């Protein structure tokens, strides 16, 4: 079994914030792959389903971001899921908005959700880093991550979440480079038509 963990904060007031893009990614995956309705377990909301040949437990901790590890560790312990079979979806300030990268282990860069996961799980889990961009000034970071995505962001956010959900089978198979490639291809802007000899696009 695999454990997919989306990081975010509970409550409708946080639902569309940049810090909650991990929740949004897990919601998109659950919807695309027809997971069972989420139930309250392990201090979180949990849905079970299959992605290809793999059984997947999808978890959104309801503990608030800085205590996410408590929820994830309970679920992992109950199902005896090793860290390498845990995939965490989270916002990433150090990536351009709309870009996605996958890595295993590494530092937390001050992300409170990752700090909590490291404390309760170890650092060997896989991370799907979803770029939200940086406000350009460290003093503005907290306001940036706790602010709703702007209307302009929706142009890249919704296609990105769809692409993550569509490519999730590659994550489930452990094919992280292929997952990143597919997400990039699915979210690539369409090429503009070249003008014909009369100067009109054809």
């Amino acid at each position: 079994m695999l454990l997919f963990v989306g990081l975010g904060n509970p409550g409708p007031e946080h639902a569309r914030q940049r810090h909650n893009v991990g929740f949004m990614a897990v919601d998109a995956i659950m919807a695309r792959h027809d997971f069972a309705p989420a139930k309250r377990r392990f201090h979180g909301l949990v849905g079970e389903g299959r992605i290809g040949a793999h059984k997947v437990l999808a978890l959104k901790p309801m503990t608030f971001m800085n205590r996410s590890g408590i929820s994830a560790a309970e679920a992992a312990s109950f199902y005896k899921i090793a860290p390498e079979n845990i995939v965490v979806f989270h916002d990433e300030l150090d990536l351009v908005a709309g870009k996605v990268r996958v890595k295993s282990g590494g530092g937390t860069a001050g992300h409170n959700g990752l700090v909590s996961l490291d404390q309760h799980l170890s650092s060997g889990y896989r991370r799907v880093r979803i770029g939200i961009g940086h406000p350009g000034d460290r003093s503005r970071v907290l306001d940036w991550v706790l602010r709703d995505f702007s209307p302009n962001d929706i142009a890249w956010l919704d296609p990105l979440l769809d692409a993550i959900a569509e490519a999730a089978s590659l994550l489930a198979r452990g094919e992280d480079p292929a997952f990143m490639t597919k997400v990039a291809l699915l979210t690539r802007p369409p090429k503009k038509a070249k003008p014909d000899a009369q100067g009109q696009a054809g």
Side-chain angles (χ1 to χ4, degrees), residues 25 48 55 63 78 93 100 129 162 175 183 200 202:
E48 294 186 26
K55 188 173 183 179
T63 50
F78 184 87
L93 282 163
V100 171
R129 305 160 62 219
D162 286 344
E175 299 176 21
V183 169
Q200 296 180 347

Side-chain angles (χ1 to χ4, degrees), residues 9-47:
N9 287 309
E13 69 273 25
H14 300 294
R16 299 299 294 174
Q17 293 175 352
R18 293 182 176 94
H19 219 20
N20 271 42
V21 74
F23 274 10
M24 298 175 198
V26 165
D27 283 340
I29 290 170
M30 291 177 66
R32 175 67 62 89
H33 297 277
D34 296 320
F35 275 43
K39 298 179 180 179
R40 286 195 170 272
R41 294 183 71 190
F42 311 121
H43 295 90
L45 291 175
V46 179

Side-chain angles (χ1 to χ4, degrees), residues 102 174-182:
V102 183
E175 299 176 21
D176 296 347
F179 167 80
M180 288 186 281
T181 298
K182 185 165 185 178

Side-chain angles (χ1 to χ4, degrees), residues 144-192:
W144 178 258
V145 300
L146 295 180
R147 188 178 290 270
D148 285 2
F149 282 106
S150 71
N152 289 336
D153 290 327
I154 304 305
W156 61 261
L157 177 62
D158 288 348
L160 180 66
L161 295 173
D162 286 344
I164 288 171
E166 183 169 335
S169 59
L170 294 167
L171 272 182
R173 295 201 297 265
E175 299 176 21
D176 296 347
F179 167 80
M180 288 186 281
T181 298
K182 185 165 185 178
V183 169
L185 288 173
L186 290 171
T187 55
R188 186 169 56 187
K191 292 183 178 179
K192 293 182 179 179

